[in-house]
Amino acid sequence: MMRTRPLKVALLGCGVVGSEVARIMTTHAEDLAARIGAPVELAGVAVRRPGRVREGIAPELVTTDAAALAARDDIDVVVEVIGGIEPARTLITTAFEHGASVVTANKALLAEDGPALHEAAEKHGVDLYYEAAAAAAIPLVRPLRESLAGDKVNRVLGIVNGTTNFILDRMDSTGAGYSEALDEATALGYAEADPTADVEGFDAAAKAAILAGIAFHTRVRLDDVHREGLTEVTAADIASARRMGCTVKLLAICERAADGRSVTARVHPAMIPLTHPLASVREAYNAVFVEAEAAGRLMFYGPGAGGAPTASAVLGDLVAVCRNKLAGARGPGESAYAQLPVSPMGEVVTRYHISLDVADKPGVLAQCATVFAEHGVSIDTVRQQGIDGPGDGASLVVVTHRASDAALSATVEALRRLDTVRGVASTMRVEGE
Amino acid sequence: MMRTRPLKVALLGCGVVGSEVARIMTTHAEDLAARIGAPVELAGVAVRRPGRVREGIAPELVTTDAAALAARDDIDVVVEVIGGIEPARTLITTAFEHGASVVTANKALLAEDGPALHEAAEKHGVDLYYEAAAAAAIPLVRPLRESLAGDKVNRVLGIVNGTTNFILDRMDSTGAGYSEALDEATALGYAEADPTADVEGFDAAAKAAILAGIAFHTRVRLDDVHREGLTEVTAADIASARRMGCTVKLLAICERAADGRSVTARVHPAMIPLTHPLASVREAYNAVFVEAEAAGRLMFYGPGAGGAPTASAVLGDLVAVCRNKLAGARGPGESAYAQLPVSPMGEVVTRYHISLDVADKPGVLAQCATVFAEHGVSIDTVRQQGIDGPGDGASLVVVTHRASDAALSATVEALRRLDTVRGVASTMRVEGE
């Protein structure tokens, strides 16, 4: 059953993930060969800086000419772990043109240009696999694309960025502010020197686009995903969440509308009840809830980032893609037949937690309540409290019932215009109930 | 891309699961066709009692002759949801011989005779898929077999039986005894009239055999799985667990030995810390931890039983198997190349919680401690307490450090023989730390 000619793998990128992929390919070569049905050979490694010593990688395999490596006709599979849009996109396209299947961890590229890449793979009769692009080692792409292929997914809700979860967890457990928690995350290596992609929600939004696309059999691009980062979450927000029996998480939420005719995808901070399983996802861990018609509620949990976990997902895909190569077959490609429209954020149905600084005088609550009513937004709870220290101010904390995001944000704008409202201290959505 | 000739599916069994499979095939026919690339047609349904009206199933499709249906040469896929060893085994083999791929939810049969079935599928060039046999809709077979195909799984630890988890959850939350909780489970439909397969651990043991086999690329049969049910778990055990900051769960545990040269698989009640994520799995839910070298700790959670969740898994497999049929390919077959020996329970390394009824006099603790030392078992904690009411008895509760199960059970036997030990009230393993 085992054939002798090895399958040749080109590795593009040899950073945190790439070096782990190379290491496992070397140390677990026999297992991989047994599972694939043929040995796999690392045929080349493209790097940016050739000088560095790379343990376990023969120096003659290392090249700085990624384009030439991706274009070699003897390569069976190209593993792309460079990240970013270019040169990754051109390299992957080159690989397809030369008959190689591609395994990638590149969420930004897939969210930006997934359909074109899928089409190129289809055209050249090769595979494009990307489990590592969703939540590293947590199996999500395969369960959504294959395990739930006979079911109807209605909702994907999860924590898909480890850096921001670490920051929010620290803010929640220590009372620290955002900057302080970010500093700690940076010091511990959980946040990069430039944390923008994580804290502004770009990373989570790319993952939301990928997951929504697979879950709803519809093309969803990064631009379709409403995105808010966590830079404006304050210690006061976290404290306010606590008073409601909630915590704050940066959530990626992909939903099918109640009438089934459209979908939405969004990333933003939200309060969720402490009793919700996602509330207990600590530190840099990730977890994703999937709600499907027949399956019910499933949850997937694990480390959503890091060299080894990401390499695990890449290697799982590598085994699958190699098996397909040997069988002369292809795995499931893009499934976008449903072509559901992606609705804007205004159409999302959610709840708001609104904290207002108001004048401490009679009639303020009645005035505010009128504004909610005028916008068709029903109030769940109101809490009035005096502001600490001198002055005549007070605060009003309102949690609404479910309404469209458009109605909720129009309500907030109208409240802002009231004379008696000195400021909107914060608004945050409430999810997971 | 879509071909017109439909793929023909024969459904063997039309109970709780089968009727859901038929319902979804009918109501979601267009989605299934789009995902597969060809329509699927229900070509026959084998039932035991032909008289019952089956909503949505054309009466002319219903037959009591399952053997003839499985032997039809025009059938592409046979879905077996009858359960049990025979006639399921013969029917599946017949299907293979006539060129059909098989999707089954039959854990008992796979744990008993998986290797022979895999060989038969291989011989006839067809697929054998069985995601629903592990934990219904919770994807476990596919993640272990495919997502983690490039990783090394060291441990699978989980709650894989909903009935027993419901019973233990009730005992924990209400203080009820086993019989009382079982009665409640029966009344609510969580336990069958004859609950033996669940409460004696046979169902969980079959799942452990299936999961261990896939995780360790080794044949593991039901007989290889050490099995203890929960019929002897008492309210006192649960209370004792509480005092230790633990709860009691019926766990399936599949482990690779520390030296990597053998594996073990077992099902038994165990105390786990309340802080462990499995401790918060309530009611009839299932959850499984998977620990892999590169991926780290993953958890999969969801409804592990029920008609719709099981049908979801069956249909996911049906889509995959149909895609393979269209591509003229086969999915991954059995992977048992590692051929690791399955060690007996005595070699498992675990911890014991031992509750002894002892004479209330000086020197008893010293006597007992000597027995532990003689067996090379180190004590973690000891708690002595007087027994309520009249008499001169007392109780001694010991929690050990890790030792082989053989040494631990020999220690318990030796304690039982001490004059000062009136009885061993209970022993339970402690896991998840």
Side-chain angles (χ1 to χ4, degrees), chain B residues 6-15 18-19 21-23 25-26 40-48 54 56-82 91 95 100 103 318:
Chain B
L7 287 152
K8 291 192 177 176
V9 176
L11 181 59
L12 310 182
C14 200
S19 57
V21 170
R23 188 189 64 75
M25 280 186 67
T26 310
V40 276
E41 176 190 302
L42 197 55
V45 182
V47 302
R48 250 186 320 193
R54 287 172 178 84
I57 299 176
E60 64 271 23
L61 295 181
V62 178
T63 172
T64 52
D65 191 348
L69 181 56
R72 269 172 56 178
D73 286 318
D74 64 330
I75 299 293
D76 295 288
V77 183
V78 167
V79 173
E80 184 274 307
V81 284
I82 302 171
L91 293 169
V103 174
L318 180 66

Side-chain angles (χ1 to χ4, degrees), chain B residues 112-202:
Chain B
E112 168 101 5
D113 221 9
L117 293 174
H118 275 110
E119 275 167 17
E122 175 94 29
K123 181 179 157 194
H124 295 284
V126 292
D127 277 329
L128 170 63
Y129 273 49
Y130 47 91
E131 181 65 78
I138 309 174
L140 283 174
V141 172
R142 194 169 271 105
L144 284 170
R145 189 161 74 164
E146 303 184 42
S147 306
L148 291 164
D151 207 332
K152 184 178 178 186
V153 176
N154 289 320
R155 200 155 186 245
V156 177
L157 177 146
I159 295 164
V160 294
N161 181 273
T163 307
T164 48
N165 200 57
F166 182 88
I167 293 171
L168 288 168
D169 185 29
R170 276 299 180 276
M171 290 174 73
D172 186 77
S173 56
T174 68
Y178 165 73
S179 313
E180 201 183 327
L182 172 61
D183 287 347
E184 191 184 347
T186 310
L188 291 169
Y190 286 113
E192 292 178 48
D194 175 0
T196 310
D198 293 318
V199 300
E200 295 291 357
F202 287 102

Side-chain angles (χ1 to χ4, degrees), chain A residues 300-388:
Chain A
F300 303 80
Y301 168 94
T310 309
S312 172
V314 166
L315 285 157
D317 279 353
L318 180 66
V319 169
V321 161
C322 286
R323 281 175 178 161
N324 291 345
K325 277 262 167 192
L326 289 181
R330 291 182 64 225
E334 187 187 27
S335 175
Y337 73 90
Q339 296 184 3
L340 295 167
V342 185
S343 300
M345 188 62 197
E347 291 181 27
V348 165
V349 174
T350 180
R351 300 170 63 202
Y352 269 29
H353 172 281
I354 303 164
S355 179
L356 304 170
D357 293 333
V358 296
D360 190 7
K361 55 185 182 187
V364 174
L365 175 56
Q367 236 185 344
C368 290
T370 304
V371 171
F372 281 92
E374 282 168 358
H375 289 83
V377 173
S378 157
I379 292 174
D380 180 13
T381 58
V382 175
R383 200 174 64 242
Q384 287 195 81
Q385 55 196 27
I387 286 176
D388 290 338

